[in-house]
Amino acid sequence: MYKTLVNWLALIGLAFFISGCSKPAEMVSLSGNTMGTTYHIKVVPNENLPNVQLLQAEIDLALEKINDQMSTYRPGSELSQFNQMTQDSMVSMSPDTIKVMAAGVDLYQKTGGALDITLGPLVNLWGFGPDKRPTNVPTEQMISEARRQTGIEYLSFSEQKVSKGNPHLYVDLSSIAKGFGVDKIAGLLDKYQPTGYLVEIGGEISLKGTKANGELWRVAIEQPSRSATTVQQVISLKDIAMATSGDYRNYYEENGQRFSHLIDPRTGQPITHRLASVTVLHKESMIADGYATAMMVLGTQASLELANREHLAIMLIEKQNEGFKVFYSEAFKPFITQ
């Protein structure tokens, strides 16, 4: 289940921490496994919140449902059944899966094709999907053949139904499904009206309100190093979601050449530029998740231009010959902790 997300957690380039709380015993803490990675949740309790066991069960059930809908690692999932379909006919899908697929199409348009949820054949070809790593680097012919099996234009929506105009089309929602899971659990907690919570799944985060002592949540963005964990930047957040993507841990090498797990849909090739980490703030974790992935494909300058155009708060960390250089969009600067 979602082994791509396991890899993405390793490369995510993000560590979060909760600074000292005057009444730590008041915080409800939950954790578990989902989507091939882990989740961690902290909630400021109130009289509406159910007991810990019931809340944990409710969260696990909601996350399990998302896996049954969108996992490419479960042959019986809703998405897997759609991918296995070879005829061009409208099929009913759950509102959640339709919502995530539609968000993927919208992000494809806004990012100029840098995020493509039909990229599955290329991800699998390069060895970063459910299939095993290839024994040899794919040839240009293999890449061209895989690219012919992709294309957002082949996806069609009608109410709660979807069809594919290409029988080989393979949809992979791993670039945004994890963020959707964060949003789903945040919405689940909202019905209990807590004054604050932090929801994290594999590095994607949603935050509401403040901690039990009234302090803002503080989040550390990791320096994109392959070895030791070093904090690059600390920011204070409230009522917002955050996603980070990077290419510095999930890769393999063949004959001295490094191949990133991040594939550029426009070329079919792994990225090769110097951008090492992207952090995006947005009201929805799913959208932040998608933009972070797309910007890792776009590179530094194009990402800053996209952020200015869409009024996005982003932080970029670029590899230099020695060390790293950090770039901020104007919308991100107010979040920086001095």
Side-chain angles (χ1 to χ4, degrees), residues 4 7-9 11-12 119 122-123 126-129 245-252 258-264 269-271 293 296-297:
T4 49
N7 292 333
W8 285 22
L9 177 60
L11 65 90
I12 209 64
L119 192 65
L122 283 162
V123 173
W126 284 97
F128 295 105
S245 183
D247 80 330
Y248 52 96
R249 284 184 181 154
N250 188 17
Y251 64 93
Y252 63 81
R258 182 178 181 275
F259 297 95
S260 167
H261 81 291
L262 290 161
I263 312 298
D264 188 336
Q269 301 275 356
I271 63 170
T293 301
M296 277 303 306
V297 169

Side-chain angles (χ1 to χ4, degrees), residues 166-177:
N166 183 333
H168 302 292
L169 200 69
Y170 181 103
V171 175
D172 185 344
L173 299 176
S174 57
S175 58
I176 50 178

Side-chain angles (χ1 to χ4, degrees), residues 67-94 97-98 100-102 105 116-121 149-158 160-173:
N67 273 311
D68 281 339
Q69 291 168 334
M70 306 177 205
S71 173
T72 55
Y73 290 88
R74 295 187 178 184
S77 76
E78 197 171 58
L79 185 60
S80 289
Q81 291 182 43
F82 175 78
N83 287 336
Q84 293 158 16
M85 186 177 73
T86 57
Q87 70 275 18
D88 181 12
S89 60
M90 301 297 291
V91 294
S92 297
M93 301 189 84
S94 66
T97 304
I98 292 287
V100 177
M101 291 177 74
V105 172
D116 188 346
I117 59 172
T118 71
L119 192 65
Q149 299 174 26
T150 69
I152 283 288
E153 67 272 18
Y154 296 119
L155 277 178
S156 300
F157 299 90
S158 176
Q160 294 304 317
K161 293 184 177 182
V162 63
S163 69
K164 56 181 177 180
N166 183 333
H168 302 292
L169 200 69
Y170 181 103
V171 175
D172 185 344
L173 299 176

Side-chain angles (χ1 to χ4, degrees), residues 270-303:
I271 63 170
T272 57
H273 53 64
R274 287 175 170 261
L275 185 58
S277 173
V278 177
T279 296
V280 180
L281 303 179
H282 195 275
K283 63 181 179 179
E284 293 182 74
S285 182
M286 174 176 65
I287 304 303
D289 199 1
Y291 271 125
T293 301
M295 288 177 180
M296 277 303 306
V297 169
L298 289 170
T300 303
Q301 190 56 42
S303 294

Side-chain angles (χ1 to χ4, degrees), residues 20-258:
C21 185
S22 58
K23 296 180 180 179
E26 292 186 4
M27 194 79 74
V28 173
S29 297
L30 303 169
S31 62
N33 299 301
T34 188
M35 299 182 185
T37 184
T38 59
Y39 71 79
H40 298 85
I41 298 168
K42 292 186 178 291
V43 188
V44 179
N46 60 21
E47 64 277 5
N48 301 320
L49 209 66
N51 68 51
V52 173
Q53 290 76 18
L54 287 176
L55 183 60
Q56 180 101 50
E58 187 177 9
I59 288 169
D60 286 339
L61 186 62
L63 292 171
E64 185 66 11
K65 183 178 180 181
I66 295 172
N67 273 311
D68 281 339
Q69 291 168 334
M70 306 177 205
S71 173
T72 55
Y73 290 88
R74 295 187 178 184
S77 76
E78 197 171 58
L79 185 60
S80 289
Q81 291 182 43
F82 175 78
N83 287 336
Q84 293 158 16
M85 186 177 73
T86 57
Q87 70 275 18
D88 181 12
S89 60
M90 301 297 291
V91 294
S92 297
M93 301 189 84
S94 66
D96 281 350
T97 304
I98 292 287
K99 177 179 180 179
V100 177
M101 291 177 74
V105 172
D106 184 59
L107 284 164
Y108 174 90
Q109 296 166 347
K110 288 181 176 176
T111 62
L115 182 87
D116 188 346
I117 59 172
T118 71
L119 192 65
L122 283 162
V123 173
N124 293 338
L125 178 66
W126 284 97
F128 295 105
D131 300 339
K132 295 180 180 180
R133 172 182 164 181
T135 54
N136 296 297
V137 174
T139 64
E140 288 294 336
Q141 182 178 350
M142 295 167 68
I143 294 170
S144 296
E145 183 178 340
R147 292 186 71 189
R148 285 195 290 271
Q149 299 174 26
T150 69
I152 283 288
E153 67 272 18
Y154 296 119
L155 277 178
S156 300
F157 299 90
S158 176
E159 296 181 351
Q160 294 304 317
K161 293 184 177 182
V162 63
S163 69
K164 56 181 177 180
N166 183 333
H168 302 292
L169 200 69
Y170 181 103
V171 175
D172 185 344
L173 299 176
S174 57
S175 58
I176 50 178
K178 189 169 50 168
F180 174 78
V182 170
D183 293 331
K184 196 73 173 179
I185 300 307
L188 184 157
L189 294 174
D190 280 337
K191 70 181 181 181
Y192 298 116
Q193 301 178 318
T195 59
Y197 59 67
L198 180 151
V199 178
E200 177 264 347
I201 300 178
E204 318 305 359
I205 294 176
S206 182
L207 302 135
K208 178 180 179 178
T210 63
K211 295 180 288 184
N213 62 0
E215 292 182 358
L216 293 178
W217 302 98
R218 303 188 71 212
V219 180
I221 300 170
E222 188 181 56
Q223 188 178 93
S225 170
R226 298 177 197 172
S227 52
T229 299
T230 304
V231 173
Q232 178 71 45
Q233 182 71 58
V234 176
I235 56 177
S236 297
L237 299 174
K238 176 182 181 181
D239 300 331
I240 202 164
M242 172 176 161
T244 297
S245 183
D247 80 330
Y248 52 96
R249 284 184 181 154
N250 188 17
Y251 64 93
Y252 63 81
E253 293 185 359
E254 187 77 26
N255 296 324
Q257 187 174 0
R258 182 178 181 275

